Amino acid sequence: MQCRIQELRHKEVVCLSDGTILGTVCDVIFDTVTANIISIVIFGRPRLFGLLGREDDYIINWSQIEIIGEDTILIGGQYNFTRRKKAKLF
């Protein structure tokens, strides 16, 4: 199956082990030398309607993706992700 990066964006990411919805894919990190996708990025949820900023971003390795469906991306049982901290303004 082939998929464009534009089609990959806005798909919901769900954990298979507990059914947690992590959010939607907002960005993709790829290696410019090999043209392989390294990970997907899910932006943090807004706090208090965005007035207090956002939570940390999720960065999920491409190897942890089990299934890419029409509307969702399923992450394997024991998913490991890193949280990217936002820069503080003050």
Side-chain angles (χ1 to χ4, degrees), residues 14-72:
V14 178
C15 176
L16 282 173
S17 63
D18 56 0
T20 303
I21 299 173
L22 298 176
T24 58
V25 176
C26 297
D27 202 359
V28 176
I29 299 172
F30 66 95
D31 186 3
T32 57
V33 175
T34 62
N36 289 330
I37 296 176
I38 297 172
S39 57
I40 59 174
V41 178
I42 301 169
F43 291 155
R45 293 188 173 116
R47 292 185 296 179
L48 192 65
F49 305 109
L51 296 174
L52 298 178
R54 295 182 159 268
E55 294 178 2
D56 297 336
D57 296 342
Y58 294 108
I59 300 175
I60 300 172
N61 291 334
W62 186 257
S63 61
Q64 295 169 328
I65 295 175
E66 295 289 326
I67 299 171
I68 299 176
E70 289 288 322
D71 298 324
T72 59

